[in-house]
Structures are given as structure tokens and as C-alpha cells.
Amino acid sequence: MSRRLALVASLLAFACSPSCGGEPAPIAPSPSPLLVTPPATKSTVAENAPAPPPWTPKPARFENPGGMWMPHQIAGHAAKLKELGLQIDPAALADPTSGVLSAVVSLGGCSASFVSPDGLIATNHHCATGALQHNSTPAQNLLEQGWLAKTRAEEKNNGPQARVFVTRSVTDVTPKVMDGIAKIEGDGQRFRTIEKRQKELVAACEKGRAGLRCSVASFYEGAQHFLVEQLEIRDVRLVWAPPSGVGNYGGEIDNWRWPRHTGDVSMFRAYVGKDGQPADFSPDNVPYHPPHFLKIAKEPLRENDLVFVAGYPARTSTLKTGAEVKEAITWGYPRRQKLYEDYLARLAEATNGDKEAQIRSTSYVRRFGNYLTNTKGQLEGLVKGGLAQDKERMEKELRAFVDADKERKAKYGTVLDDIGKEIDKNAAHREADAELRDELHLPKLMWAASVLVRMAEERAKPDADRDPDYQQRNWARQEQALEALATSYHRKVDEALLGLALERGARMPEKERSAGVAKVLGGKDTSSDAIKKAIARLYDGTTLADGKTRLELFRKGTTADLRKSKDPMIALALELRPLVKDAEDRQERLSGRMALLKPKYIEAMRAYRKEPFAPDANSTLRITYGTVRGYKPTPDAPPYRPFTTLSEVIAKDKGAPPFDVPARLKAAQAAKKTGPYVDETLGDVPVDFLADLHITGGNSGSATLNAKGELVGLVFDGNYEAMASDWVFVPSLTRSIHVDVRYIEWLLDAVDPGHALLKEMGVEPKVAQ
């Protein structure tokens, strides 16, 4: 339970409220599918694209009920998996150290997997955006051109913040965290007690164990807590990423859409010190040798085949009370949608004609564009799909179940109303707090100044009493984040972000406006001229654009030192700190209150449902399984085939982004250098495929495995019609989108000179280069 500034990551959330957390699956299945129709858009298929061949889907073998399962829960699914054709011991999916799961890793935002004994990692192309941006210049823009290291020496450093996390164990520590919590008076004190216990567990776990990273993760809305131990690899390097005309083919036009034709793949390599232990980047480091790695599938993937995804999904919201759904559709999602639209437009305007600024803003642009489409789909699914009405019905059923028994009524009778009251209470501050903690601290130098002020404040405390993000175990991480600004900060981009944040705040009614806006502006004048002058004063006078200054202040600065500083950015951060602390205190009290209410709600739901259900996603290792399946976007539409092909990629080519197929790919296809990668049932090289798996953000790059536990693809997206699957899983409609491993092999074999990588993965090249 960290109290750190939400910053960019919090823009994923629609509110810093109970709705920010993950909850278990719905109380009862929806009585009808949530069929939502995407807004009318221009066709994404090129005019000269061939019509898809006639296709009749096979009868479904399995109606996936959804769920992102913890490994130890897979034992309860062994019979179904065997029925679907699983050819490995189900125990291999229940143990994080097994030959399958130990190869699946987290990149701290994306998922990935080891695919060779020398630490080669496969993930998505969009998961490499930061690494590509870190290594790009206007003269060599890897974001557009891609990169292939022909030797180990050419593998490029992904940057100081790059990480690979390998899960070693997951242990239930619920009693150690929650015993006696209900007896603690005061919501804030309850929060701090839980946090203190978590910090103690982490400290004991990491003591004397260099290279190990421990954390306590909350499941089932705080009803359970698990201690997660992970190896933290800190030297990660870029090996291969195809050009944007492959890896980002279709861009935002095709994002969240099917049919899809994106080669969303990249490869990294994990390095460690010569002693085999994790180490910071050094030319002397050597490739990491994982105990296990995934093998590439040799048998072709077919419709209805069993597939499963293992990865680190970030967050879902499959259990929401009616009050929480209402907050999402009336405030959270509309606010997010407008926010992303505003920031995308402002960044396009601010960076127009400036290649360097465009490179530095790429991570913002792609992230906000992706979130915008997702947010629209989520909102549409919730409103048009009738989830609010379904939730109201389910709550009535739960209330009836509780009221039918005197003991249940005494135990759970007011929990839904109590949760709703807390949400309503939080609403009084949510807009101002979001402005302050998210938008005003989105510019990189504003964030850096706040880190320096907070570090000075926390350094004066005993380490055990510090905020978790500012404990000594995290100092190196904080330094690396400040160091990373060297290749991510651009003044023009930063000023644009701050200017828009102030404009958006100024447009809010005064009672909803953060007091931080006036502090940035130096008064109540919110005119355009006042905003421009305030920004110029801050950025002309600050010293924080200098990396050495940032690190020096982080390592040695005291609050007294910072108060003497003439740097206007630091002075502003000091002024904003009391406001930020007030917002943090409110969030702590809310979390402390929910620590009593939400577990009680989960207990009532378990009594009502009786059947086991998966916890919501929380960036820990999960497994979801299903089959390769097409779908009908609307009840009266023809069904989509679950595979796309190489010829369709070529047919969509327009010679300009985002439909700009690289010349060497077109040449390889024209010369029929397709080797054995042509699927006999498709008559072409498969590119992407569909499955009915339950995924969300954070799953990007997750390994898609077949019945033998072999790699058949990488998941990278979902379909627009089912964006609300973060809230409710609809078997007939919810689909995951994967890049086919055969397309990846073909790209390395026939398009890019990647024979060495294929051989490293145990694949013999088939096409002469």
C-alpha cells in the first residue's frame, strides 16, 4: 500500500477511490451477453484487399467463463484442461518454478518469456517503446526503423529503469497482515498498521538475499495477502524489434480491432554479473541463463485448439457494486476520455515539425492513444451493455440472500450501503485530487521536484517509518528514474503537458479546482497569459533539467537545503507538498475503511456464489485458458475467421503510416520466400489469431502456449466489442488477439537477417537469405 504520487500510472485509473482496486468475479453470471457495437468507423481494410474467404466456424468445444487464475488454483481446473487436450502435467501450471511458469517473466508493465538458454526474451513490440525511444535520435529513429543486433556487442541498453522479474515463490501471509485489524480504531491508523506489517514482511524476505525483490500483494479486495518473491534482473538489452511498419502496423486505426495484421513482437536479452547475480548495466556483464525456457511449437495451431496465456495482468474490475459502476460511468471514464483527447491534441500541436520532441513524446502519445480507445470501449460496454442494470439486479439478489438468514443479515446486512457511502464521501475531493496528483505532476520536471522534496522529508525518518517508495531499498530505483530523464525529458513536451494541466484546472468550477493550480500560477489569474508566464518562469529558472543536479539533491538534499534554494520548481514543489499530503491522507483513510468493508463483501459473495472464482488482476502471475475461436461482432454479422494472413497484410499496404509495409517484407512475399510457414488450411502464412482468453493491460507480451506448453504466439490486444471484459467476461464476444509464432519465425527467417536468433531458439532456418 504505497502512498506515492500516482503520476502517469494513475491515469490508468478512473478515480483514486475504491474503484481503483481489483475485485473478484461478479456475484452471478450475467443473464445475457453484453453485446455492444463499436461506433461507425472507416473500414481499416485497404480498398484493394481481397475479400476474406468463406468460412464456417466449427462448433465451440468450450464456453470460457473467464478468470485470471493464480497458479495454485489451477489444480481445480485439471479435469477440464485434460478434457480440452492438455498434454502436460497440470502441476506444471501450478508451480511458479516449473519448467513452464519459471520461463514467464514480468517487465514491470508488460509480460514476456525466456525463449533460449542464453536469456533471450520474447515480448511485444509496443513493450519495447521505451527501449526504442531511449536509443533513438532524429538521425537514427529506431521507433520507425526498428533494430536487429547482429552480435551480442550490438545489443542496446534498454535504459536504467529496465527490469526483468522472475517469480520464485508466492506465499499466503494473510494472517500476518490482517489479524486483529478489525479491532484497530481509526481508518488512517488501520491503513498504517497494514502498511507497517507489509513492510516488515518485505524486509524479512529480502534480508541477506541480494538480487531478490519481495512484495506483498492484495487479493480479493484485501481479503487475502500473498508474499511474492522475485529475482530482479537490472541489465536488459534490446536485441530485435521490427520496423513500425510491422510492429505497429495499423497504428491507432486498427488498435483494439479485428481483423488485425500487426507483427507485435520484439526481443530483449537479460544480463547479470559474471558471478551470475543481478547487476546494473555493465559491458562486463554476461547473459543470464534461466533454469527453464519455452520451446517453439512445431505443430500448426488450429481453430478450437486449447491455448493458455501465462503473464502478469495489471488490473481488472470484475466485482463492482452499483455505486462503483455509477462512479465509473458518470465521472471516471468520461473524465479519462476527455483527458486523453486533450493531451493527444496538445502533444501533436506542441511537437509538430520537431523530430526530437516527437521522439521524446512517443511513449506519451502511444500510451494515451491506446488508453483512449480502451476507455471509449469500456464506457460504451458499460452503458450500452447494461452492466449498471445487471449490477443492480445482482445486488438485489445478494441483498435477498443476506436478508433471508438472520445470521447473514447481522454479519453482512449493511456492507453494500457502507461501501456506497464511502464512495460518495470521497467524491467531494476526487476531481481536485486527480488534478493535483495526476495532471500537475505529469510533466517530468514537476515530478522530479516532488521526488526531491519527498526524499528530503523521508530521509530524516528511520527507514522502517518511511513511505515504502522512499525506503532505502528503493533509493537506487528512484535515482535511476531521475537518471532516465536524460533521454525522456524534452522541455517543449514538458511545458505542453503543464500548460494543458493548468488550462484544464482553470476550466473547472472553483469548488472543484485544486488549490495547486493557484500555487503554480502564483495567484488567481487563470488567463492564458498568466499560464504562459508561470510556465516560462518555472522552466527558465529551474536547474532540474541537469542530471547531476537532480542526483546530487536526491542523495544529499535536506528540507532545510531545499527551502534555501532559488530554483522555482523546487519552491513550487515545497508549496504543493502540504496539498499532496492532504490528498494522501484522505486516500489512506479511505483504504483503511475499505480494509474492513471489502473483505466482508467478498465473504458475503463467496457464501452466495459457492463456486470458486478468480481474484482480479493485480500484476502478479496468472493463467487464463480457452480455445482458438472466431466471433460475431454483432448477432446478425457474419463470423470472423480466427486467423489473418500475410497476403492480407500486403493488401492493406498504402505506403504511408500506419499502413506502410517495409520494402524487404514485400519483396520476400513477392518472391514467395514463405518456406514451410504456410498453413495448409489457410493457404498462407498466418499473422495473428484470436482466442477466447481473459486478458487485460499488463498481459501484453504474455506467452501463448499450446497443449504441450510450447510457444504458439504472444498476446497483444483484445477486441473493441468486448472492452468491458475488465468488468464482465462474455464468452460469445470476448476475444484476445495474438501474433502467431509462425509469423515471428518468418520475419526472422525471410525478412530480417535473424537466422542466429532462430537457431538460438532451437529453430532451423528454412529460407535462404
Side-chain angles (χ1 to χ4, degrees), residues 53-55 58 298-303 305 641 643-646 674-687 740 742:
W55 177 72
K58 296 179 181 179
K298 292 182 169 58
E299 296 178 8
L301 190 66
R302 296 281 188 261
E303 181 188 2
D305 279 357
R641 185 175 68 169
F643 290 93
T644 57
T645 62
L646 178 59
T674 51
Y677 304 108
V678 173
D679 184 286
E680 61 181 21
T681 63
L682 301 173
D684 203 345
V685 177
V687 174
D740 198 301
R742 291 169 288 183

Side-chain angles (χ1 to χ4, degrees), residues 80-95:
K80 175 56 68 175
L81 287 166
K82 285 292 185 182
E83 179 187 326
L84 291 172
L86 185 68
Q87 298 180 41
I88 59 175
D89 186 344
L93 303 180
D95 179 6

Side-chain angles (χ1 to χ4, degrees), residues 101-116 118-123 127 131 157-168 211-214 229-239 267-272 277-280 287-292 312 477 480 619:
L101 294 188
S102 69
V104 177
V105 301
S106 170
L107 302 179
C110 281
S111 300
S113 53
F114 289 118
V115 291
S116 90
D118 284 346
L120 189 66
I121 294 169
T123 189
C127 296
N157 178 15
N158 282 12
Q161 291 181 281
R163 295 290 190 275
V164 172
F165 297 97
V166 187
T167 298
R168 294 288 182 82
L212 198 70
R213 184 81 180 177
C214 300
E229 299 182 19
Q230 295 178 309
L231 182 72
E232 181 184 24
I233 298 174
R234 306 192 302 273
D235 186 348
V236 189
R237 305 184 193 181
L238 177 65
V239 177
M267 290 186 177
F268 301 154
R269 192 181 306 280
Y271 280 77
V272 292
Q277 296 301 307
D280 291 338
Y288 172 67
H289 300 300
H292 303 284
Y312 292 78
R477 282 184 158 206
Q480 289 166 341
S619 297

Side-chain angles (χ1 to χ4, degrees), residues 302-492:
R302 296 281 188 261
E303 181 188 2
N304 265 345
D305 279 357
L306 168 68
V307 287
F308 55 96
V309 155
Y312 292 78
R315 187 184 59 208
T316 50
S317 304
T318 53
L319 174 62
K320 292 294 176 187
T321 65
E324 290 170 310
V325 174
K326 181 181 178 181
E327 183 183 48
I329 63 179
T330 60
W331 179 76
Y333 281 136
R335 185 184 193 279
R336 283 178 60 179
Q337 181 174 331
K338 185 66 167 64
L339 181 148
Y340 298 139
E341 289 170 345
D342 288 352
Y343 277 95
L344 285 167
R346 181 57 55 88
L347 287 170
E349 176 187 341
T351 63
N352 184 36
D354 188 329
K355 290 290 186 183
E356 179 70 25
Q358 288 169 358
I359 288 172
R360 301 305 159 214
S361 68
T362 297
S363 60
Y364 285 123
V365 171
R366 291 187 180 176
R367 187 183 306 128
F368 291 162
N370 186 51
Y371 295 167
L372 174 60
T373 306
N374 179 274
T375 298
K376 288 179 177 178
Q378 295 260 12
L379 184 58
E380 189 170 327
L382 288 170
V383 176
K384 291 188 177 181
L387 179 60
Q389 291 78 9
D390 281 352
K391 186 61 67 177
E392 183 178 354
R393 175 189 58 78
M394 287 187 282
E395 284 193 4
K396 286 181 179 179
E397 293 176 1
L398 178 60
R399 288 177 190 273
F401 170 78
V402 170
D403 290 344
D405 180 87
K406 183 182 292 186
E407 186 176 334
R408 289 198 296 261
K409 187 171 183 178
K411 195 171 186 179
Y412 313 124
T414 65
V415 67
L416 286 169
D417 293 334
D418 291 341
I419 291 172
K421 289 175 184 177
E422 293 302 321
I423 294 171
D424 290 342
K425 187 190 304 182
N426 186 64
H429 299 280
R430 65 189 180 191
E431 181 62 45
D433 287 353
E435 290 172 22
L436 174 67
R437 300 180 68 193
D438 298 347
E439 295 189 62
L440 289 179
H441 287 90
L442 184 59
K444 293 186 182 295
L445 292 195
M446 288 284 289
W447 166 80
S450 72
V451 169
L452 298 178
V453 167
R454 187 61 180 275
M455 185 64 215
E457 176 185 324
E458 297 292 336
R459 186 186 288 108
K461 304 174 184 177
D463 195 55
D465 295 339
R466 292 175 180 139
D467 179 276
D469 284 353
Y470 291 86
Q471 288 188 292
Q472 193 164 353
R473 65 191 287 270
N474 284 318
W475 288 0
R477 282 184 158 206
Q478 294 279 18
E479 286 193 18
Q480 289 166 341
L482 292 168
E483 180 185 344
L485 298 189
T487 57
S488 63
Y489 166 73
H490 192 286
R491 176 169 173 170
K492 187 179 291 186

Side-chain angles (χ1 to χ4, degrees), residues 119-339:
L120 189 66
I121 294 169
T123 189
N124 286 156
H125 186 275
H126 71 263
C127 296
T129 299
L132 293 167
Q133 178 178 303
H134 179 75
N135 289 287
S136 288
T137 65
Q140 188 182 36
N141 189 347
L142 303 190
L143 289 159
E144 295 178 359
Q145 302 164 9
W147 177 256
L148 174 64
K150 297 181 178 64
T151 66
R152 300 274 171 91
E154 291 184 357
E155 295 174 356
K156 293 181 177 291
N157 178 15
N158 282 12
Q161 291 181 281
R163 295 290 190 275
V164 172
F165 297 97
V166 187
T167 298
R168 294 288 182 82
S169 69
V170 181
T171 306
D172 191 344
V173 292
T174 303
K176 295 180 179 180
V177 175
M178 297 299 290
D179 279 359
I181 286 298
K183 298 177 182 178
I184 296 175
E185 295 292 335
D187 296 333
Q189 183 58 40
R190 192 178 305 112
F191 170 89
R192 289 187 289 274
T193 299
I194 292 173
E195 184 180 77
K196 179 176 182 291
R197 293 175 179 181
Q198 290 176 330
K199 289 192 291 186
E200 289 170 349
L201 287 165
V202 167
C205 177
E206 293 181 349
K207 187 176 181 179
R209 306 171 77 189
L212 198 70
R213 184 81 180 177
C214 300
S215 61
V216 177
S218 169
F219 294 77
Y220 295 110
E221 276 302 276
Q224 287 182 264
H225 296 261
F226 285 77
L227 180 67
V228 181
E229 299 182 19
Q230 295 178 309
L231 182 72
E232 181 184 24
I233 298 174
R234 306 192 302 273
D235 186 348
V236 189
R237 305 184 193 181
L238 177 65
V239 177
W240 174 57
S244 61
V246 174
N248 193 37
Y249 191 64
E252 280 305 310
I253 295 175
D254 275 7
N255 195 16
W256 304 105
R257 308 288 179 174
W258 186 263
R260 197 70 178 273
H261 303 89
T262 309
D264 202 338
V265 59
S266 66
M267 290 186 177
F268 301 154
R269 192 181 306 280
Y271 280 77
V272 292
K274 291 182 178 180
D275 59 357
Q277 296 301 307
D280 291 338
F281 173 83
S282 169
D284 296 329
N285 286 347
V286 298
Y288 172 67
H289 300 300
H292 303 284
F293 60 92
L294 299 179
K295 295 181 180 179
I296 308 300
K298 292 182 169 58
E299 296 178 8
L301 190 66
R302 296 281 188 261
E303 181 188 2
N304 265 345
D305 279 357
L306 168 68
V307 287
F308 55 96
V309 155
Y312 292 78
R315 187 184 59 208
T316 50
S317 304
T318 53
L319 174 62
K320 292 294 176 187
T321 65
E324 290 170 310
V325 174
K326 181 181 178 181
E327 183 183 48
I329 63 179
T330 60
W331 179 76
Y333 281 136
R335 185 184 193 279
R336 283 178 60 179
Q337 181 174 331
K338 185 66 167 64
L339 181 148

